[in-house]
Amino acid sequence: MKIALVGNPNSGKTTLFNLLTGMNAKIGNWPGVTIEKKSGTIKNTTHEIVDLPGIYSLSPYTEEEKVARAFIFNESPDLIINIVDATSLERSLYLTTQLLELGIPVLIALNMADMLPKRGLKIDIQKLSYELKTEVIQISALKATGIQDLIFAIDKTKAPIPYGIYDANIENSIIKIINNLPSNLLYKRFVAVKILEEDKYFSKYNFPILFDIIKETSHNYDTDLEEIVATERYNYIERVREICINKIAQEKTISDKLDEIFLNKWIAFPLFALIMFLIYYLSVGVVGKSTIDLINNITDSLKIFISNWLSNFKISNLIISLIVDGIMTGVGAVLSFVPQLIILFLCISILETSGYMSRTALLLDKLFKKIGLNGKSLIPFIVGSGCSVPGIMSSKIIENDDEKKMTAILTPFIPCSAKLPIIALFTSYFFPNNSGIISASLYFFAIVIIIISALVMKKFVFKNTSSTYISELPEYKLPSLKYVSKDVFDKIISFIKRAGSVILICSIIVWFLVSFSWDLKYNLGIENSILASIGKKISWIFVPMLGTNSWEVTVSAIQGLVAKEQVVSSMAVIGGVSEDLQNTNFILNNNGAFGFFTSVSAYAFMVFNLFSAPCFGALAAMRKEIGGTKELLKVISFEISLAWLLATIVYQIGHRIEIGIFNIANFIIVAILIAIIIKICMSKLKHQNSECARCPYCKSCDKN
């Protein structure tokens, strides 16, 4: 039996899927789109279950809805398990009414019903089953209760009895349309309703007689039929709610109490800023400071051991240099930052699974809307903190095309796991006592530049940015240790795989270019190498932002286009190959940083790598989202120019006024926090001076 698992986002669908399959799922992408596809076999059965993307309806407004509807129409599942959030019955049942119209057997899994008493509610399961004319099983996906009852009900669930939920005029029109549809067509009632709504997906059935039926029906209403059908659905859902839900003594939920803090208009923004600061302070500052030297010492000892061991077998110096100075140095320089990444991914995963990030998206929606973005833009930004590639790809969830393009372009500005090694390396060496604060300042710097860039794009490039963000806030919950561990593990493995593939290849290439001259003679000195000759031709470009001419830094920064981790790897390989450090214009210390950097130029170099064009993988993902190679070239030019300009400004100002970069970083953080507080105070004052009787809590007021 083929089963489709369908439900709203945040309804517990993924948790239920994992319980049913034992987490033995096949994961891939749906054909033609980057939305994740999961399928598996229900434990102790032969039933195949497919986890469809989280959707609110079967109307094709989003990529997820298109995927879900296409699967149902093309694959014809034998059964649909519709997971319904009992705490948001009205919202969940809208999708249910559409599923019931398909005529496919629908088994409803009523999730989180155990939380209803805290909301002062109780659902009569028998009445709900009778009203919906299908089987309803009460479960708790989080507590793993009711799962066996759900599995047992799969084989006995039958197709729902067709019945009318609309007024007589709509119902008569539906019957007329059904009678004029092809006899072999599946899901006739669903199709008839969609034709009545003038859904373009079913325009192929626009026979003249159907036009007459639609025209005749619409004459009885003052608005379009799609709105009438939606209103009738909600009227039906309201009737079901009145019949099946009873009010009992209500108690304040933990989520309500936490929302009073995290969504408080006075402290919500400062709390968000503090949380993000602590994440970077913990991952880069505390952990980075304590692990980089330790791992580097282990790596150095291993390189010495391997070098001596190979020498015992009379292996040539060229091969030893390739293995030790090329492969081990390049890959090891990147892998030494894995502990920081583990902490970063762990913190982000906890925030996501706890329900806090959904609140943050809602919180930032007002700000995002003013700069031409959408609350959903936060999701690509958060995902992008792990890797820009999935971050850019997740911008698909944004319906407005201009907002989607802006989000895809700006997502690489968020410090990702590939940029973290650069930040951790330079902050730990040049700012050993303040590495956490310096790294956090770069994160807030990125936020400021994203806001400014978005405003510029909204003004001059993307002007159609006016969509509305709607999101359901899930209950706060303790993160699942199993899920968080698996999420962090998958991300770390992905990072290590890249270090073992792209970084490995690039490290070998850099070693070759830095070890050989143009006439392919080995070990003539690093200044006579192929890489040095190339770097010297273009190193002048970096002089304004570094204060010195360095081909080593130039070629390392350019390799960031292949992979940002390669910046650190390239520096390590260049330094590792050089035998006579005194004759070069740089000194490589144990941390892999070039000695001629000052604190100001080091910060400027980090700024350049933060905002310059992302790696090839991210650029490929961006090309698909923004509409072609021509647009991509414009974006690359914009990001490289912006990065160079910002880095130059940082260096020139910091160098001329001779102010410590630590003070500049503190100034950036404090200035942002002060701006947030002033904004909140001004907003509050505006409300107090307004004549709106509903202030200050009216969400619909444009002054709120």
Side-chain angles (χ1 to χ4, degrees), residues 1 59 94 103 140 151 253 266 378 392 415 494 501 545 667 698:
M1 180 184 290
S59 300
Y94 189 90
S140 173
I151 295 174
T253 66
W266 288 95
L378 181 68
I392 293 169
S494 176
S501 55
M545 71 178 198
F667 173 78
C698 172

Side-chain angles (χ1 to χ4, degrees), residues 84 141 148 167 229 411 432 462 464 564 636:
V84 170
Q148 289 304 317
D167 65 26
V229 170
T411 293
F462 303 111
N464 181 28
K564 290 299 178 185
I636 293 174

Side-chain angles (χ1 to χ4, degrees), residues 1 4 60 75 299 343 364 430 436 461 479 590 629 636 674 692-693:
M1 180 184 290
E75 299 294 330
T299 303
I343 299 300
L364 294 177
F430 290 101
V461 184
N590 290 333
T629 304
I636 293 174
I674 291 175
C692 177

Side-chain angles (χ1 to χ4, degrees), residues 146-306:
I147 305 303
Q148 289 304 317
D149 293 335
L150 184 69
I151 295 174
F152 179 74
I154 287 175
D155 292 319
K156 64 177 186 177
T157 301
K158 302 186 184 324
I161 302 170
Y163 65 105
I165 65 173
Y166 309 107
D167 65 26
N169 186 42
I170 296 291
E171 286 294 341
N172 290 334
S173 298
I174 291 173
I175 293 172
K176 290 178 183 178
I177 293 174
I178 290 175
N179 292 335
N180 286 279
L181 290 174
S183 58
N184 61 345
L185 180 67
L186 296 173
Y187 319 132
K188 285 188 179 181
R189 181 175 175 84
F190 178 84
V191 173
V193 174
K194 284 298 169 187
I195 289 174
L196 206 58
E197 292 178 314
E198 299 186 78
D199 189 322
K200 294 180 180 179
Y201 184 84
F202 299 101
S203 59
K204 58 184 175 181
Y205 299 114
N206 286 346
F207 311 129
I209 190 171
L210 298 186
F211 275 120
D212 294 337
I213 296 172
I214 295 172
K215 187 176 180 180
E216 179 184 346
T217 308
S218 63
H219 279 188
N220 298 303
Y221 303 99
D222 295 329
T223 186
D224 62 89
L225 291 178
E226 183 178 13
E227 184 176 339
I228 293 297
V229 170
T231 301
E232 289 290 306
R233 286 190 195 278
Y234 281 117
N235 289 340
Y236 167 73
I237 293 169
E238 181 68 20
R239 293 196 298 271
V240 171
R241 190 188 69 83
E242 292 295 329
I243 293 171
C244 303
I245 298 182
N246 300 314
K247 290 186 178 181
I248 58 178
Q250 184 177 3
E251 58 181 274
K252 213 170 195 179
T253 66
I254 295 177
S255 289
D256 293 333
K257 295 175 183 177
L258 290 175
D259 277 340
E260 290 177 358
I261 300 173
F262 290 115
L263 293 182
N264 182 284
K265 62 173 60 182
W266 288 95
I267 63 175
F269 279 105
L271 267 178
F272 172 69
L274 178 62
I275 289 171
M276 298 312 298
F277 168 78
L278 289 175
I279 287 175
Y280 275 85
Y281 182 81
L282 179 63
S283 60
V284 178
V286 178
V287 176
K289 186 177 179 181
S290 60
T291 60
I292 288 181
D293 287 340
L294 174 63
I295 295 176
N296 278 334
N297 289 335
I298 294 174
T299 303
D300 290 341
S301 299
L302 183 61
K303 286 192 294 184
I304 293 173
F305 172 78
I306 295 295

Side-chain angles (χ1 to χ4, degrees), residues 397-514:
I397 64 174
I398 302 172
E399 292 86 359
N400 183 283
D401 191 55
D402 282 354
E403 291 174 350
K404 180 178 73 173
K405 290 179 179 178
M406 286 178 62
T407 302
I409 293 170
L410 297 175
T411 293
F413 286 174
I414 294 292
C416 65
S417 61
K419 296 172 184 174
L420 191 65
I422 304 173
I423 296 173
L425 171 64
F426 279 81
T427 55
S428 64
Y429 179 71
F430 290 101
F431 315 97
N433 298 321
N434 304 294
S435 56
I437 294 176
I438 296 297
S439 60
S441 73
L442 288 166
Y443 183 86
F444 289 111
F445 194 3
I447 293 175
V448 172
I449 298 304
I450 286 173
I451 291 173
I452 295 173
S453 299
L455 285 171
V456 173
M457 290 182 188
K458 180 184 178 183
K459 180 71 174 178
F460 299 104
V461 184
F462 303 111
K463 299 182 180 180
N464 181 28
T465 56
S466 58
S467 66
T468 302
Y469 174 62
I470 300 174
S471 176
E472 180 71 20
L473 296 182
E475 294 285 330
Y476 286 102
K477 58 184 179 182
L478 290 175
S480 166
L481 179 61
K482 181 185 292 186
Y483 174 83
V484 170
S485 301
K486 186 176 185 301
D487 183 50
V488 174
F489 178 79
D490 290 343
K491 289 178 179 176
I492 290 297
I493 291 300
S494 176
F495 178 83
I496 292 174
K497 283 181 178 178
R498 177 152 50 169
S501 55
V502 176
I503 306 304
L504 174 62
I505 294 171
C506 290
S507 297
I508 293 174
I509 293 173
V510 172
W511 170 86
F512 174 81
L513 294 176
V514 83

Side-chain angles (χ1 to χ4, degrees), residues 93-148:
L93 287 183
Y94 189 90
L95 174 61
T96 304
T97 60
Q98 292 183 317
L99 296 174
L100 292 171
E101 287 175 344
L102 290 165
I104 301 173
V106 176
L107 175 58
I108 295 177
L110 188 65
N111 192 29
M112 295 184 273
D114 54 312
M115 301 177 64
L116 289 172
K118 296 179 180 180
R119 294 176 173 264
L121 301 171
K122 181 180 180 181
I123 295 179
D124 190 319
I125 303 299
Q126 290 185 339
K127 286 183 178 179
L128 182 61
S129 179
Y130 175 79
E131 291 298 324
L132 297 177
K133 302 295 187 295
T134 192
E135 187 80 16
V136 178
I137 303 296
Q138 184 173 317
I139 69 166
S140 173
L142 186 62
K143 297 179 180 179
T145 59
I147 305 303
Q148 289 304 317

